[in-house]
Amino acid sequence: SAVISQKPSRDICQRGTSLTIQCQVDSQVTMMFWYRQQPGQSLTLIATANQGSEATYESGFVIDKFPISRPNLTFSTLTVSNMSPEDSSIYLCSVVGPGLDSNQPQHFGDGTRLSIL
Amino acid sequence: GDSVTQMEGPVTLSEEAFLTINCTYTATGYPSLFWYVQYPGEGLQLLLKATKADDKGSNKGFEATYRKETTSFHLEKGSVQVSDSAVYFCALTTTGANSKLTFGKGITLSVRP
C-alpha cells in the first residue's frame, strides 16, 4: 500500500496568516485530492490537484483562498490563506493511482489538524 | 446530486454489544458503497465495500449489505470491542465520477469496557 505523508500533522496559527500543507506519496499517482473535515462534520472535497495545471475546485472553494500546487506525480501542496477561526479543520490529502490497492477508491493521508486562534 | 445520510450520533455502547449504524444514499447511476473508519488522530481507512446490489462487504467482524431496494448500506457488528471506538463514515462513488467520493457526516462510536 502507498505511503502518504502529510506535513505538518498539526499546527496552531494566528488569524490572517497562511499555512502550506504538503502531501508526499512514495509512488506515482494519477489523481490527488484535498478534503476539509470541519469539527463534527463530514469530509468535503476542496479540489482535485492536477499535475502541471491549475487545480479543479469544487463549488464553494476558490483558488485565492486555497491555492494548490502539484508539480509532479508524487507531491502536492495546499495553502490555506488569510486564515480565520472558521478555517479550523482537519485537511486531508488522498490519492488514486496504479500500483495502489485497486479495492480502495482513494488512499488517505493522516491529515493536518489546523487550529486558528 | 449524490448524497449520503447517516444516523445521528454519537453512539456509546458497552463492550460485546451489538452495533448497527444506519446509512442511506441517493445517487445517479449505480454507486459503489463504502464504510471508512477514522481512529483517533489518524486518517481514513477503508473498512469494507460493496460494488453492486446484494453484495455484502465484511472486514474485522463488521458487515454491510448493499440494499438497492431500500438504498441502504447499514454497518453491523455482532460484538464490539473498545478498540472499535472511532468515527465511521459511509461513502459512495459513481461510475464516471472520476473517483470522487461523497461522504456522510460520520458518526462517533465509543465503546466502554
Side-chain angles (χ1 to χ4, degrees), chain A residues 10 31 33 35 37 40-43 45 48 56 58 90 92 96 102-106 108-111 113, chain B residues 6 34 36 38-46 49 87 89-90 93 98-106:
Chain A
R10 61 179 67 242
M31 304 190 75
F33 303 95
Y35 288 85
Q37 184 183 8
Q41 301 296 314
S42 183
L43 279 77
L45 181 63
T48 304
T56 304
E58 298 298 307
I90 301 173
L92 293 120
V96 177
S102 61
N103 286 314
Q104 299 198 36
Q106 296 179 21
F108 287 84
D110 283 347
R113 285 150 180 80
Chain B
Q6 290 184 235
F34 307 89
Y36 279 86
Q38 185 178 35
Y39 297 104
E42 299 183 14
L44 269 70
Q45 303 175 25
L46 181 67
K49 73 171 191 178
V87 182
F89 293 92
C90 186
T93 187
N98 227 9
S99 297
K100 289 184 181 179
L101 282 165
T102 300
F103 286 90
K105 288 186 66 175

Side-chain angles (χ1 to χ4, degrees), chain B:
Chain B
D2 298 343
S3 67
V4 176
T5 302
Q6 290 184 235
M7 60 184 277
E8 292 292 324
V11 173
T12 302
L13 296 173
S14 297
E15 205 165 23
E16 299 184 2
F18 183 85
L19 170 71
T20 300
I21 301 177
N22 290 342
C23 171
T24 57
Y25 67 89
T26 57
T28 54
Y30 300 97
S32 294
L33 303 174
F34 307 89
W35 276 100
Y36 279 86
V37 59
Q38 185 178 35
Y39 297 104
E42 299 183 14
L44 269 70
Q45 303 175 25
L46 181 67
L47 180 60
L48 54 84
K49 73 171 191 178
T51 58
K52 61 183 188 295
D54 299 325
D55 268 2
K56 178 186 284 188
S58 61
N59 186 25
K60 299 181 180 180
F62 291 88
E63 294 183 340
T65 301
Y66 189 146
R67 302 286 188 198
K68 188 178 178 184
E69 63 276 12
T70 54
T71 61
S72 66
F73 192 54
H74 304 323
L75 183 68
E76 296 181 337
K77 187 173 185 180
S79 176
V80 293
Q81 305 301 311
V82 173
S83 57
D84 294 327
S85 298
V87 182
Y88 292 82
F89 293 92
C90 186
L92 67 83
T93 187
T94 53
T95 304
N98 227 9
S99 297
K100 289 184 181 179
L101 282 165
T102 300
F103 286 90
K105 288 186 66 175
I107 187 169
T108 299
L109 170 67
S110 298
V111 180
R112 51 175 185 250

Side-chain angles (χ1 to χ4, degrees), chain A residues 65-98:
Chain A
K65 176 66 176 177
F66 297 102
I68 288 171
S69 77
R70 189 179 170 193
N72 56 50
L73 294 176
T74 64
F75 185 77
S76 178
T77 67
L78 167 74
T79 299
V80 186
S81 303
N82 188 25
M83 290 183 285
S84 65
E86 293 72 34
D87 294 319
S88 297
S89 295
I90 301 173
Y91 292 86
L92 293 120
C93 168
S94 72
V95 304
V96 177

